[in-house]
Amino acid sequence: MLLSQLPTPSLVLDGTKFSKNLKTMSSLLEGTGVALRPHYKSNKCSAIAHRQIESGAKGMTCAKLSEAEDLITSGITDVLIANQIVDSSKIRRMAELAGMCRLTVCADSADNLRELSKAAVYAGTTLHVLIEYEIGMGRCGVTDPDVFVALAELAASLPGIRFDGIQAYAGHASHIIDGEERLACAEKSLGILNGLRKKLAEKNIPVETISGGSTGTSLIVSKLRGVYTELQAGSYIFMDSTYEKLGLPFENSLFVVSTVVSQRPGLTVLDVGAKGLGADQDLPFCLTPEGRKIRTNGVELNEEHLKLFGQTGLSVGDRVLVVPGHCCTTVNLYDFIYVFEGSDVVDRLAITARGKSV
Amino acid sequence: MLLSQLPTPSLVLDGTKFSKNLKTMSSLLEGTGVALRPHYKSNKCSAIAHRQIESGAKGMTCAKLSEAEDLITSGITDVLIANQIVDSSKIRRMAELAGMCRLTVCADSADNLRELSKAAVYAGTTLHVLIEYEIGMGRCGVTDPDVFVALAELAASLPGIRFDGIQAYAGHASHIIDGEERLACAEKSLGILNGLRKKLAEKNIPVETISGGSTGTSLIVSKLRGVYTELQAGSYIFMDSTYEKLGLPFENSLFVVSTVVSQRPGLTVLDVGAKGLGADQDLPFCLTPEGRKIRTNGVELNEEHLKLFGQTGLSVGDRVLVVPGHCCTTVNLYDFIYVFEGSDVVDRLAITARGKSV
């Protein structure tokens, strides 16, 4: 089957570039002491998670309990849920799953730690715990190092759970386009994190794991020898139009194949919109099937259409490869990723955790 | 099962308000000569489409061939694809489907009309056609009335297809908050449309159908006696935070139930983000389970979280009803809509066209 024979819009992956991105990340982390724990929220495809593990990843990160279950039941043996799970029925299920693999969850409150402990004791399992520390993103996590110490001591004292270390995610630095500014922002977060590390050392609280980082900060984290023990990058395998601006060593491998459905001077309309392209970050851009960037005077994303302004040289029926604005929210809109090499479709991977937001 | 027992995030529908919205639209159009042809892109749920037909809708509108197939195979007998279908294999499938129901498609080029004709002749079916006219939205459609006349005459002359009339969608007017401004914008589009109608009348080209309009312009279209014959509103059954600002007679009935997972002074974090709430329009707002609006100093939508700023009075574990920014792109993220009445879950409807973007 040819790439040109897929119905549009379809989500497609350049198999060669994907493999190259896997290797680039392995090389980047080699000898740094930072292990890779790729984020599943970016691909939601258990076959890709297995490729990442084969390529040297230590385990997987995910955002949701249902994603963790999808990974575990596909045979992944080491999973981190990089979020707080507070609902009782979810905690009971999580404690069960902890009997099937090495499962770690984040927490930022004493009540939550106590409930995690009770559920794990009842299930007869061990839940690993990272306490989340807020290092500048302004979202979940503890902001006071003394509170962190108290929670770490509580976690260490409770049965059924095991305090492993720190979740510290500087997501606010990930998309800063200027490399110097991004570094400065990451260093500021690192300063906050190092303050906590010092305090924990003073209290003789052992920290085995410090997990965080993203594709956007992967170059920075890989140079922080002795700080982060795990990198949670997700998008590096695919990239997108937002990350493309950052000058990272990864290549765009994920596209949505789309067809021109209407055309007049100055306007080209494609058959994919916000239902086929994640709309929560930058706007997409388009390539010809041969990979040449299509020049426009701007684009507009509607619900069912992508409008390209200017003289694109495209005609009705032509196909383009759209680079999505955000790979993670785009993948979540499709049931399958078609893998292509050259002009051939060579595989079809199920997005097994598509829509798993519970 | 109680609403409070659903895992979060879940997509839920207030059955009472949904029924009320159906009735409000029926009353609005009664005696106006405008038939309702609800847009399936907003609900993608064949059970809801059947409720709309039972409530008096003439047929359904949809955006995609795969949505049309979903409707037809669920027993809906009159379907309009309000877009251009230009791919040959899709056109062949569409011509087949035209043998299973009354199927109408939009076109805006002679080449496309000729291909539609050939496919319908080969399949031994009749495809109904509306020529799309561009009335100010700046997307698909013919902009020159003489070109429209030529296409209408071509469509009328070709075997296998039947020229029914005009697709004229003023989507740019739909979300204008100020009622007077919205009316002025819609009237400007109407002026363009009336210019075309005059020209078609001069040429003695019969126009049976003029289809268009939206929830945002439903009040305006219903007053245009003798112009539009069909209203393509979709969101009226659900509403969202974008439409809520327009002062329309429909009520918010669609929510995402979400849980507070982290909380500190000035910040409340919910367990749903852009993967569970369409991110292509306005930001969401939140209600308590009892329906009281939760005051915030603003909200921020992240990929996996919704951040509420200010003193919300919420605690970790509390549940809220999130009114999505855009109902249509939100529904497309879920496999099911849970219908509730009071505190009980009374039904679970499959979103049969979820992800059908081909």
Side-chain angles (χ1 to χ4, degrees), chain B residues 121-140:
Chain B
V121 168
Y122 185 75
T125 58
T126 300
L127 255 177
H128 295 255
V129 171
L130 300 180
I131 309 289
E132 183 161 4
Y133 197 52
E134 214 295 90
I135 56 170
M137 197 191 186
R139 205 165 57 196
C140 305

Side-chain angles (χ1 to χ4, degrees), chain B residues 250-261:
Chain B
F250 310 105
E251 290 181 38
N252 286 305
S253 66
L254 187 82
F255 311 95
V256 173
V257 196
S258 177
T259 300
V260 176
V261 289

Side-chain angles (χ1 to χ4, degrees), chain B residues 1-48:
Chain B
M1 184 182 183
L2 298 172
L3 186 58
S4 59
Q5 291 171 322
L6 282 175
T8 64
S10 284
L11 187 69
V12 301
L13 178 67
D14 183 324
T16 311
K17 288 184 177 168
F18 164 72
S19 297
K20 208 170 150 193
N21 288 338
L22 286 176
K23 278 184 198 144
T24 302
M25 183 58 95
S26 298
S27 308
L28 191 66
L29 296 184
E30 208 181 321
T32 63
V34 180
L36 182 63
R37 184 183 283 283
H39 212 312
Y40 196 47
K41 75 181 177 69
S42 301
N43 65 63
K44 286 180 168 274
C45 168
S46 58
I48 290 182

Side-chain angles (χ1 to χ4, degrees), chain A residues 8 64 90 139 264, chain B residues 8 90 139 264 271 335:
Chain A
T8 65
K64 297 287 182 164
K90 284 187 188 173
R139 206 165 58 197
R264 62 173 181 270
Chain B
T8 64
K90 284 187 188 172
R139 205 165 57 196
R264 62 173 181 269
D271 67 352
D335 292 320

Side-chain angles (χ1 to χ4, degrees), chain B residues 122-164:
Chain B
Y122 185 75
T125 58
T126 300
L127 255 177
H128 295 255
V129 171
L130 300 180
I131 309 289
E132 183 161 4
Y133 197 52
E134 214 295 90
I135 56 170
M137 197 191 186
R139 205 165 57 196
C140 305
V142 175
T143 53
D144 180 333
D146 291 322
V147 172
F148 190 104
V149 167
L151 290 180
E153 285 172 342
L154 175 65
S157 75
L158 289 169
I161 62 174
R162 187 180 187 284
F163 171 72
D164 275 2

Side-chain angles (χ1 to χ4, degrees), chain A residues 82-131:
Chain A
N83 270 315
Q84 289 67 26
I85 303 293
V86 305
D87 178 81
S88 300
S89 70
K90 284 187 188 173
I91 290 173
R92 288 191 288 271
R93 179 66 187 143
M94 185 163 60
E96 286 289 328
L97 290 171
M100 308 175 196
C101 82
R102 187 186 197 283
L103 184 58
T104 310
V105 68
C106 295
D108 63 4
S109 79
D111 284 351
N112 190 217
L113 286 174
R114 287 194 196 95
E115 203 172 347
L116 296 176
S117 166
K118 270 187 217 161
V121 169
Y122 185 75
T125 59
T126 299
L127 253 176
H128 295 257
V129 170
L130 300 180
I131 310 288

